Amino acid sequence: MIPDLFHRMQKVVRRLLIVLLFLVAVAAAVGGAAAWWLGQPLRMSSPSLELEIEPGTSPRGVAQAVADAGVQTDPRWLYYWFRLSGQGRQIRAGNYELTAGTTPRSLLQKLVRGEESLRAIIFVEGWTFRQMRAQIAKDEFLKHDTAAMTEAQIMDALGKPGLAAEGMFFPDTYTYAKGSSELAVLRRALHAMERRLDEAWAQRAADTPLQSPYEALILASIVEKETGHASDRGQIAGVFINRMRVGMRLQTDPTVIYGMGEAFDGNLRRRDLQTDTPWNTYTRAGLPPTPIAVPGKASLMAAVRPEPTKAYYFVSRGDGTSHFSPNLDEHNRAVNRYIRGGN
């Protein structure tokens, strides 16, 4: 009786061991297949795909969005992977670029880390705010939330009510995620200019006639527009500082052109110099009321720490450089030589 029972128990144990070994083998095979799949590049409908994940999207919805974007895989497998990884709820909303070689494992890492695809927009030194807005308007990846806004409304939205937009946005390259707002990009450029201006103002010459950082910004914008050659920047700033010290009018053509706005046809005439506007530094003394463009870092530094010079005048030589003169007689001779072609 007892031996029979013992033999039956042995058979049961052997069967259980067989089943257990089978299950272990199956689990190992499934685990191996899963590990293999997680490391294999996903098939895609094109070498580069754009994936947009909206805020609040569930892991299942993310998996479906990946498939809808052009990844040729069953979204259920991605969903199971997201769930089993324990990171499905850590996926961040945003705009992503999926490239050839992306695996399920690297895909999840990208989504959890929020490694969004970034675009770039460039603001150039010497641009006006109108030119910046035109650059923004033609960028297809930005959300155009300022298109219907006036300059004043934009500055209100940026927390600078009553401040002119001209010159307030630092020229640089700004990266952003697809779908970012125009205001977000402008806010970064605004803060960058504030930092740069503060840094420059802290290094101003002790005897500068400039009364505020904003005056430094205005002068820097004029230097930016007058500079044909980088090496002349410091002397040009020095000329304007010399004029300010003795009460001379700045008499700089770029301010006149700015004041003319869209009426400027490319030719500056004598009557234009005599037509008064708030920016005409031939008819009005001192600095104009606002900057006339965005200055770069070098122009900001030139405005606050100009190169010492005895010059009060300068004229273009025609090769990008300027000839500087300490008095009007020498200046007139330089004008005759370089502008009128005299000897």
Side-chain angles (χ1 to χ4, degrees):
M1 184 79 178
I2 293 177
D4 290 341
L5 179 60
F6 178 75
H7 288 307
R8 284 198 296 270
M9 289 180 65
Q10 280 186 318
K11 291 180 180 180
V12 170
V13 170
R14 281 197 296 269
R15 289 171 183 166
L16 289 175
L17 285 174
I18 292 172
V19 171
L20 181 59
L21 290 173
F22 174 76
L23 292 176
V24 169
V26 170
V30 171
W36 175 86
W37 178 76
L38 290 174
Q40 291 300 301
L42 292 163
R43 293 179 58 193
M44 301 195 303
S45 58
S46 64
S48 178
L49 299 175
E50 293 287 340
L51 170 65
E52 182 175 0
I53 305 298
E54 296 287 346
T57 304
S58 67
R60 188 185 298 275
V62 172
Q64 187 60 54
V66 171
D68 292 342
V71 175
Q72 298 173 344
T73 190
D74 190 327
R76 289 175 297 180
W77 293 113
L78 287 176
Y79 169 62
Y80 296 148
W81 161 228
F82 295 160
R83 286 287 304 275
L84 291 172
S85 71
Q87 296 180 297
R89 294 294 177 182
Q90 299 175 31
I91 292 174
R92 302 182 185 183
N95 293 275
Y96 299 89
E97 182 179 11
L98 307 183
T99 56
T102 298
T103 67
R105 182 178 283 109
S106 65
L107 170 64
L108 181 58
Q109 290 174 344
K110 178 189 289 285
L111 299 181
V112 170
R113 292 173 181 170
E115 297 174 354
E116 297 185 66
S117 59
L118 297 178
R119 307 292 174 179
I121 188 168
I122 301 174
F123 296 147
V124 179
E125 295 174 354
W127 273 8
T128 63
F129 186 59
R130 180 184 297 130
Q131 288 173 301
M132 283 188 167
R133 292 196 71 177
Q135 180 77 346
I136 287 173
K138 68 182 183 182
D139 194 305
E140 61 180 318
F141 298 110
L142 281 172
K143 181 172 66 177
H144 299 299
D145 53 350
T146 68
M149 298 173 71
T150 65
E151 176 183 316
Q153 289 171 334
I154 290 174
M155 297 308 288
D156 284 347
L158 293 174
K160 301 293 181 181
L163 183 63
E166 198 66 77
M168 292 305 303
F169 303 92
F170 190 73
D172 205 345
T173 299
Y174 296 93
T175 57
Y176 64 89
K178 181 181 176 183
S180 296
S181 74
E182 294 172 340
L183 276 176
V185 174
L186 287 174
R187 184 173 289 108
R188 290 174 57 199
L190 173 66
H191 291 165
M193 179 59 83
E194 290 175 335
R195 290 193 302 272
R196 296 289 191 179
L197 184 56
D198 286 345
E199 291 169 1
W201 186 247
Q203 301 176 62
R204 67 190 182 278
D207 60 347
T208 180
L210 300 171
Q211 299 298 307
S212 67
Y214 193 64
E215 285 194 358
L217 181 64
I218 295 172
L219 179 58
S221 73
I222 296 173
V223 172
E224 189 70 60
K225 297 298 288 185
E226 281 281 17
T227 304
H229 200 274
S231 63
D232 289 345
R233 189 178 280 114
Q235 281 199 80
I236 288 174
V239 167
F240 291 130
I241 289 295
N242 286 348
R243 290 182 181 182
M244 291 179 68
R245 285 198 177 109
V246 299
M248 285 180 61
R249 292 181 180 177
L250 298 185
Q251 295 185 325
T252 170
D253 293 354
T255 63
V256 178
I257 293 170
Y258 182 83
M260 294 174 66
E262 295 182 357
F264 180 64
D265 62 3
N267 295 312
L268 191 64
R269 303 170 178 83
R270 182 178 296 275
R271 67 172 181 270
D272 298 325
L273 302 181
Q274 298 169 344
T275 302
D276 183 54
T277 74
W279 289 271
N280 190 333
T281 52
Y282 283 84
T283 62
R284 299 196 183 195
L287 292 165
T290 71
I292 60 172
V294 286
K297 181 181 178 180
S299 291
L300 287 171
M301 290 305 302
V304 297
R305 298 192 69 84
E307 185 176 328
T309 179
K310 294 181 179 180
Y312 286 83
Y313 305 90
F314 62 92
V315 63
S316 173
R317 291 191 178 98
D319 61 358
T321 64
S322 297
H323 178 94
F324 295 87
S325 303
N327 56 62
L328 186 57
D329 287 341
E330 182 177 324
H331 175 63
N332 287 336
R333 287 194 294 271
V335 169
N336 185 58
R337 177 181 179 184
Y338 295 112
I339 303 300
R340 301 190 180 101
N343 295 322

